[in-house]
Amino acid sequence: DGRIVYVADDNNIWMTDSDGTNQRQLTSDPAAEIYPQVSPDNRFIFFTSNKSGSNQVWRMNADGTAQMQLTRNEGGYPCAVSPDGNWVFYRSGLRSTLWKVSSEGGPEVEVSDRNMTRPAISPDGTHVAYFSYKNKKWTIAVTNLAEGKQTAAFDYADGKSTAVKIAWSPDSRTLLYVSN
């Protein structure tokens, strides 16, 4: 809706209008609260917090109220919300594999046992793209979420650059990435 949700240097989550006005702090916990992901309907923000003792996935209303812990076991870092808003995909903090949990809470479900660096779910919710390190070389891999099978792999840059960020185009047909 034109607002930006971000993590400030204080490890709290903030929101601002796109022109930088109307800054508002949404979390104010001494714990680190990072990796915010906004639901498609803009109602919720999912994020990682270590206030329970380990990095777990939490949900709050878009105004910062009603914080609720969603994961209790595997935990990790949210990377996307399903297009229907029913699932939060996250990278495990323990094994770097892809998991999901209901946006209302419940069992944590492993989606893929592949090690994924910087996973990005396609906007249509059908695929995940991620950086993969094999044979001393970085590649971009794509896995079908329904089948759990890798459908493509691409070399990028010189294969030795650090993987920074990967994203999908809005039509879920093109990958964009940053390497360092």
Side-chain angles (χ1 to χ4, degrees):
D1 64 357
R3 293 180 291 171
I4 298 170
V5 175
Y6 65 98
V7 176
D9 290 341
D10 63 359
N11 282 328
N12 278 296
I13 298 172
W14 291 70
M15 182 183 292
T16 186
D17 290 345
S18 60
D19 64 1
T21 61
N22 297 317
Q23 279 189 327
R24 180 164 182 233
Q25 186 172 354
L26 301 178
T27 63
S28 59
D29 201 290
E33 296 178 330
I34 53 178
Y35 292 97
Q37 293 288 324
V38 180
S39 64
D41 62 6
N42 296 320
R43 288 182 50 218
F44 300 115
I45 299 171
F46 301 92
F47 61 100
T48 296
S49 178
N50 63 3
K51 63 181 150 196
S52 64
S54 62
N55 287 333
Q56 299 294 329
V57 178
W58 289 67
R59 182 191 84 191
M60 66 180 163
N61 292 336
D63 65 1
T65 62
Q67 293 186 13
M68 173 179 147
Q69 186 175 342
L70 298 180
T71 63
R72 303 201 180 279
N73 300 314
E74 192 70 23
Y77 311 95
C79 54
V81 182
S82 63
D84 61 10
N86 292 333
W87 296 98
V88 180
F89 291 93
Y90 63 97
R91 186 179 55 83
S92 159
L94 301 173
R95 295 180 283 152
S96 294
T97 55
L98 188 66
W99 289 67
K100 68 180 181 179
V101 66
S102 166
S103 58
E104 298 298 322
E108 299 167 50
V109 179
E110 187 173 39
V111 175
S112 174
D113 62 357
R114 295 178 190 272
N115 186 304
M116 297 184 180
T117 300
R118 310 275 193 264
I121 308 296
S122 61
D124 65 9
T126 61
H127 290 82
V128 59
Y130 53 95
F131 294 106
S132 177
Y133 192 73
K134 289 183 182 178
N135 302 322
K136 299 182 180 180
K137 185 176 181 182
W138 285 100
T139 62
I140 295 173
V142 178
T143 295
N144 180 300
L145 287 172
E147 299 170 7
K149 293 182 181 178
Q150 183 174 315
T151 58
F154 308 97
D155 291 337
Y156 83 89
D158 61 4
K160 298 176 185 174
S161 302
T162 303
V164 177
K165 178 79 173 168
I166 191 167
W168 290 86
S169 62
D171 65 2
S172 299
R173 296 180 53 146
T174 303
L175 291 171
L176 311 161
Y177 69 91
V178 176
S179 65
N180 182 8

